[in-house]
Amino acid sequence: MNGDMIGRLIKGRYKLIDERGRGSFATVYIARDLQDNHIYAVKLMHFELSNEDELLARFQREAHILLNLKDPHIVRIFDYGDDNNMHFIAMDYIDGESLKYHMINDGPMDPLRALDYAHQIAEGLNTAHKQGVVHRDIKPQNILINSQNVVKLTDFGLARGKEMVTLTHSNVFMGTAYYIAPEQADDGRAADTRSDLYSVATVLVEMLTARRPFEGETAIDIVLKHKREKVPSICRLRPELPEEMDLFMQRALAKLPDQRYATPPDFIAALEQLQGIIQEMPRPERDRWPREARLIVISNGQVFPLRGEKWMVGRQDPTKNIFPEVDLGDKTVGRQHAYLYHQQGRYTVEDLNALNKTRVNGVTLTPSERQSLNDGDIIRFGNVEVRFELR
C-alpha cells in the first residue's frame, strides 16, 4: 500500500508529494499542508504493521515524547494521530541530509566541524535529559544536518521517558550495535543519559576518522568489543590531533557509566575545551590536517570521494572482473586507465600506459611515473576531464 501513497491526503489536509526515506516499520514523506500551504515531513507507519501492538506503542510513544521536547536541535512535531488506521506523525521538514550522508560523501571531517556537530547533538540531548528522556538510538542516520549546518535529532522511536513503561521485547539489545553503550546492550532499561553520551562519542570517533571505534562481523562481535576492548587511540589515526582528544575519548567511552561524563553539560564543557585547544594550535600545524579529496567530472558534476590510499581509474568490465573505484564509464577511458595514490598527505596520479593517455593540466604523463596533484588540477582520462579538489 505504501508504494501507492504519493498524492494521498492524510487527515484531509496533508498531501503526500514525495517519499523521503523508508524504514522497517515506517516511511517518511514530504507533504504539503493544504490548510496553510506549509511543507512538513510526515512519518507514516506501514499499514500492514498497524495491528502490531508493540510497534504501534513505539510509534505513539515517539509522538508523545517529541511533543514535550522543544529545542532547536530536536525535530519538532506538529500533529499526530491516525486516519483510517494509518498512523502518522507530522513534523518539521528538514532541508538537508543525514550525518551519515555527510560521512559517506565527505570522509574524515575537519576536527572543529566534527566537534561542533557533537556539541549540537549534546545540546539536544540536554533538553531531553531535563525532561527525563533517553534517546537510546543515537547514530548518524538519526542525526540530520540542515542547509544552515544546524543539527536536528530525530527518530525517538526507541526513546524512554521517565513516566513511560518500557516495552517488553525492547528490553534486550535496544539500539544499534556500532554505537551502543555496554550497559544498554545488556538491558535496554539500564540506558540513561550517560548511555546516549557514549553513543555521541562513538559518532564523534567516526566523524574524525571515518571508522567506528569497534567493528566486527556480527552484532554480537561488536557488542563484545564495546564491553571488553580498550578504547582505540584517535591520535594514532589522526596524529595531528592534540593528545587531549584521546583523554576525552577514554572518559567518554569508559565501560562503566560512573566513569563517564555524567550529564550533557559536563560533556559539552569537555568538547568546548577541545575546541579551544584546537583553535589555539599554531596555524602551520593545523594546516597539516589531511583535507578531503575528491574528483569531479566536469561534464556532469559526478563526484568521486577519495578515501584510503589507492584507487583505480577506469571503466568497469564485469566479464573480466574489472571494477575500478573511479568508474568513468566512457569508452575512451581504458578499463585500467590510471592509479591515484594518497601517501602522507600527498596525492599523485600514475598513467597505466592507457591507449588514450592521461593528462594533467594539458601535459601528457609518462606511463608508470607518478605526477603530484594540487587542488584545482584538471586531469584528462581519455576524453573525460575531471577536476581534483582538496577541501
Side-chain angles (χ1 to χ4, degrees), residues 23 37 67 89 95 153 191 217 221 240 249 269 308 310 333 378:
N37 210 34
L67 277 175
I89 300 173
D95 181 17
L153 288 178
E217 294 185 2
D221 291 338
E240 73 280 3
M249 289 300 178
K310 183 178 180 181
V333 177
I378 302 299

Side-chain angles (χ1 to χ4, degrees), residues 310-380:
K310 183 178 180 181
W311 308 267
M312 170 73 73
V313 179
R315 172 169 50 90
Q316 72 166 296
D317 185 346
T319 64
K320 297 186 177 181
N321 201 31
I322 296 175
F323 297 94
E325 289 83 5
V326 180
D327 179 11
L328 296 178
D330 186 285
K331 290 186 178 181
T332 65
V333 177
R335 293 177 178 85
Q336 296 176 311
H337 196 103
Y339 275 128
L340 292 167
Y341 301 91
H342 177 215
Q343 294 177 318
Q344 298 180 334
R346 178 171 174 254
Y347 288 86
T348 57
V349 59
E350 175 189 353
D351 182 80
L352 297 179
N353 202 24
L355 179 64
N356 290 318
K357 305 303 179 185
T358 303
R359 298 170 178 82
V360 176
N361 298 325
V363 178
T364 301
L365 301 188
T366 300
S368 303
E369 291 186 8
R370 298 189 188 184
Q371 169 69 39
S372 294
L373 293 175
N374 297 304
D375 183 35
D377 280 349
I378 302 299
I379 314 172
R380 188 180 180 95

Side-chain angles (χ1 to χ4, degrees), residues 222-237:
I222 299 165
V223 167
L224 289 176
K225 290 182 179 180
H226 277 288
K227 297 173 71 171
R228 299 174 182 174
E229 287 198 358
K230 292 176 60 176
V231 177
S233 168
I234 301 298
C235 293
R236 282 185 187 168
L237 298 172

